[in-house]
Structure formats: structure tokens, C-alpha cells
Amino acid sequence: MLSRKPPMGFNTWNTFGEKISDSVIRETADAMVEMGLPDAGYEYLVIDDCWSLRDRDPVTGKIVPDPVKFPEGMKAVSDYVHSKGLKFGMYSCAGTRTCADYPGSFDHEYLDAETFAEYGADFLKYDFCYKPQSANGPLLYRRMGMALKACGREILFSACNWGCDDVETWIRSTGAHMYRSTGDINDNFRSFKDIALSQIDKLAYSAPGCFNDIDMLICGMYGSGNVANGGCTDEEYKTHFALWCMFSSPLMLGGDLRKLKDQPFILNLIKNRNLIRINQDEEGRPAVAVCRRDGDRVTFAKHLSNNEIAIMFANLNDDDGNCELFFDELGITAAGGYGLEMTECFTGENIGVKKEYMKRRIPAHGCEVFICKLSK
Ligand code: GAL
């Protein structure tokens, strides 16, 4: 089964935008392996928009890879990615044109799915720009979902309609394995905070087989790249990554992975075993906001397998302050006598067994995340 756990990998859009090429992809594949990312779970390398010529081939009707960006074609790139033990992802759009105005797959769904299969694609991100008036989201995603099933290759279907049209209510029925439940991220605190808070009521729709995708990660962009918009501090990237892990979002890296060897903080963060364990937990249960104080100091909880529970104290306010937890809200009653033995995910510190109520002082834009066990 595809997408039994949130998919993990890399996507070109956040850093490279239209500046993608054969060498960017090969160098990124090399960097992923050198930095040990496959061992941490990152497996897909996905090419986003802007990989083709502006028009289809007039004879075959096929989309044509840009010969300047990809002189050896897409199969050669795909073969290289596969030779590194990674999986290869492509991009298209449900409308007549992609968002950056390249050919979309509308009315060419089956031909394009076959073409992606010929490339050896394992993943397809499918956008929603230039949708004809006559068609709607369910119809268009159903079409590509079916075309992918018919194409003879197992391809993970990643839908991207930015959370519009009540997508959470119908997307699973199209065969999609993940779906964007938000608009686009850009590289600053406000952007990922707004995305996270906008998802609280949608978390329950995310489950094994089809996960809510809250967009590609911005960790390590530091204000440069295609979706650069001021950048974040390390503390903020930590909160961003922890939220994506708690929310069971696919973890699609968006920074320039070739720079990771000079970014030890980011490398440690995106390989943090505890956070990835929370994200990849086999039960795939959604997080829930259990306590929200003073605006945006929020405590999240997510049940894990083996009777563990992850707790995140996220201070999304602009000043330092307390995040709270009333154990009763987790179903842990005072009368029952139980508390939680709590180990912090970044420091590894075991803070012992806590009961009934606790508060943690968290710096502005910061967080703590604990993996907890029920204990007397
Ligand atoms: C947007 C999408 C982005 C990126 C972009 C490419 O619609 O949300 O993630 O794929 O199109 O043009």
C-alpha cells in the first residue's frame, strides 16, 4: 500500500522554481545520499513545475522535456535518481496549463500518465491551475487517479488544489495518496504559523492511505530561493519541522540540499529520529489541539502506537510565555492515579512523571516536544 505513512522526500519548487536542470537533480540526489537522508526515511526526489517546453509535440501530443534544462531527457534523470536508491517524482496539472504556464494534463490524462510511467516516475504531484469551467476538482482528480492506475506503474498520486472546494471531503475517493490542504508556504514564520493554525480543524481528515499535505518544508532556506520571503531563525525552523511532524504531514524537503553539509543545525533537525518517529507512526493518528492560551500558545497531542503519546508545546506568539496541559483533556484523570513520563525530543532529557497539570515556559516562536508513556 502506498502512503501507509506520510511520504518523505524532496521537491524542487521552494528553492529552485523554474531554475531546475539535469545537474540540479543529480546534485540533489548525490547530496541526499551523502547526507544520509534515505536512512532517515527521505526517499522521493520530485521535480516540480517548469520542466517542459511551452507546447506539446504537435505530432505525438506528448509533453516535451525542455532540452536546455534536461538535455538527456527525463528518463536519464530518473535512471540516475533510481541508481542512487531513490524514487523519482514528476509534476503536472489538472487544468489546461500548469501554474507557471506550461502544458497541463487536461484531456491528456492517460497519455501523460503513460509518459510519466515511461520516464520511470514513482510519484506525481498534480496541481489545479487553469481548470476549465466545465470541469470540477473531483472529476479532474478522478481522471488522473484512474489514468495512473492504468499506466502500468505504481505511482504515488499527490494532489495539490490548495485546500479548495472542501477537498478533504472528496479527495480520498479519487485515489490520491496525499493532498495539499493549504495554500502555498513561503519562507518566514508568519507563513508556516498561519498554515499550521488553519489546519487544526482539518487534522482529523489525515489518515494512512491519504495524508493532509501542508506543503513543502522551508527548513534551511534562510531567506534565499524561489519562495524566499524574509527567512526564519533556527528556533523557527525547529518549530516548523516539529509542527509538520506532529500533523502527520508528508515531509517534503524544500531547501537546497547541496548546502546541508554546511548547515549542521538543519541536518540534525530534519534527521531528528524522535520527531520522524512521531510523523511516521504506524497508526497514523491525527494530532489534536488540547489547549490554546493567550492567542496562539497551543498544546498539541498525538497518540502513537505502543501506548505512547506525543505532546507539543508550541508558542506561536511573539513573546515568551507558558504553554499548558490539563491531563484531564487527554483522558488522564486525577482519580485514575496515572501521569505521563516525558522525554523531550530535541534534548533527550527525561523530565520524569508529570500529573494532572503542567506548564512549560516556551520562548517566542519556539517549542518543546515530548514523547510520553503512561506511568503511575
Ligand atoms: C502551485 C503549487 C506550488 C507549486 C507551483 C508551481 O500551485 O501550490 O506548490 O507547485 O504551483 O507553479
Side-chain angles (χ1 to χ4, degrees):
M1 172 186 173
L2 286 176
S3 204
R4 218 172 48 73
K5 298 176 177 183
M8 295 172 68
F10 165 83
N11 173 298
T12 53
W13 184 251
N14 283 1
T15 289
F16 298 102
E18 63 177 6
K19 297 193 190 106
I20 46 174
S21 65
D22 182 288
S23 54
V24 160
I25 303 305
R26 289 178 197 245
E27 287 165 18
T28 300
D30 292 347
M32 285 177 81
V33 173
E34 273 162 39
M35 295 296 113
L37 297 183
D39 290 340
Y42 297 95
E43 56 177 345
Y44 292 98
L45 197 170
V46 181
I47 299 179
D48 206 283
D49 205 350
C50 310
W51 58 272
S52 76
L53 290 180
R54 296 277 176 190
D55 293 302
R56 289 176 179 270
D57 183 303
V59 178
T60 64
K62 286 185 166 185
I63 305 184
V64 186
D66 183 327
V68 175
K69 293 174 181 169
F70 297 101
E72 294 178 38
M74 307 316 289
K75 179 73 167 62
V77 187
S78 165
D79 286 348
Y80 188 79
V81 169
H82 287 139
S83 77
K84 293 273 156 179
L86 299 166
K87 293 182 174 163
F88 180 65
M90 289 296 305
Y91 164 98
S92 190
C93 183
T96 52
R97 307 288 290 172
T98 72
C99 300
D101 200 20
Y102 293 85
S105 290
F106 179 74
D107 257 353
H108 295 82
E109 290 86 357
Y110 284 75
L111 175 63
D112 289 353
E114 282 162 18
T115 305
F116 297 136
E118 284 165 15
Y119 294 166
D122 308 295
F123 182 114
L124 178 69
K125 174 172 170 181
Y126 204 50
D127 223 326
F128 202 52
C129 286
Y130 296 100
K131 177 183 77 61
Q133 285 297 328
S134 57
N136 61 29
L139 178 79
L140 295 177
Y141 282 95
R142 239 180 258 147
R143 279 192 186 187
M144 186 48 98
M146 202 56 84
L148 290 175
K149 287 195 194 305
C151 79
R153 196 175 162 88
E154 190 172 67
I155 298 182
L156 189 152
F157 186 23
S158 166
C160 177
N161 89 329
W162 325 295
C164 299
D165 303 341
D166 300 320
V167 59
E168 62 277 5
T169 63
W170 50 263
I171 193 67
R172 298 176 77 87
S173 69
T174 69
H177 299 101
M178 57 191 260
Y179 73 100
R180 275 276 296 284
S181 51
T182 74
D184 284 18
I185 198 167
N186 48 74
D187 181 25
N188 64 49
F189 172 75
R190 191 69 37 191
S191 172
F192 80 73
K193 167 183 170 168
D194 289 348
I195 285 178
L197 293 179
S198 76
Q199 294 304 292
I200 289 177
D201 293 337
K202 295 186 177 172
L203 289 170
Y205 290 95
S206 196
C210 184
F211 288 95
N212 292 15
D213 170 13
I214 59 175
D215 209 356
M216 286 91 69
L217 293 154
I218 52 172
C219 300
M221 291 186 65
Y222 295 112
S224 71
N226 183 46
V227 302
N229 190 358
C232 295
T233 64
D234 284 345
E235 184 82 13
E236 290 166 346
Y237 284 134
K238 179 177 142 181
T239 302
H240 162 53
F241 188 71
L243 284 165
W244 265 233
C245 287
M246 285 293 290
F247 284 21
S248 311
S249 176
L251 299 177
M252 301 302 289
L253 302 167
D256 186 344
L257 303 184
R258 301 170 307 175
K259 293 183 180 165
L260 274 179
K261 53 182 175 317
D262 302 316
Q263 297 181 333
F265 178 87
I266 298 295
L267 184 61
N268 276 331
L269 176 64
I270 63 176
K271 288 169 76 172
N272 183 297
R273 284 177 188 281
N274 298 321
L275 293 176
I276 291 177
R277 172 148 85 87
I278 293 170
N279 178 265
Q280 296 285 295
D281 186 77
E282 65 187 51
E283 292 191 14
R285 292 190 186 273
V288 60
V290 284
C291 181
R292 187 163 175 176
R293 285 283 176 276
D294 307 325
D296 302 322
R297 290 194 238 284
V298 196
T299 305
F300 296 99
K302 179 185 195 297
H303 278 278
L304 306 176
S305 46
N306 299 321
N307 294 331
E308 289 181 317
I309 183 163
I311 307 279
M312 176 178 192
F313 298 105
N315 181 359
L316 304 179
N317 278 353
D318 294 334
D319 53 348
D320 299 357
N322 293 326
C323 290
E324 295 181 295
L325 176 62
F326 295 87
F327 284 58
D328 210 14
E329 295 199 51
L330 299 175
I332 305 173
T333 62
Y338 278 86
L340 292 175
E341 181 177 359
M342 305 177 69
T343 305
E344 216 278 327
C345 288
F346 295 101
T347 62
E349 186 191 1
N350 180 327
I351 62 165
V353 178
K354 304 289 173 191
K355 289 185 175 173
E356 290 186 40
Y357 168 81
M358 68 185 288
K359 64 180 179 210
R360 302 289 291 179
R361 191 155 182 85
I362 308 289
H365 301 187
C367 71
E368 286 182 337
V369 185
F370 292 89
I371 292 179
C372 313
K373 280 186 194 306
L374 270 174
S375 181
K376 286 233 181 196

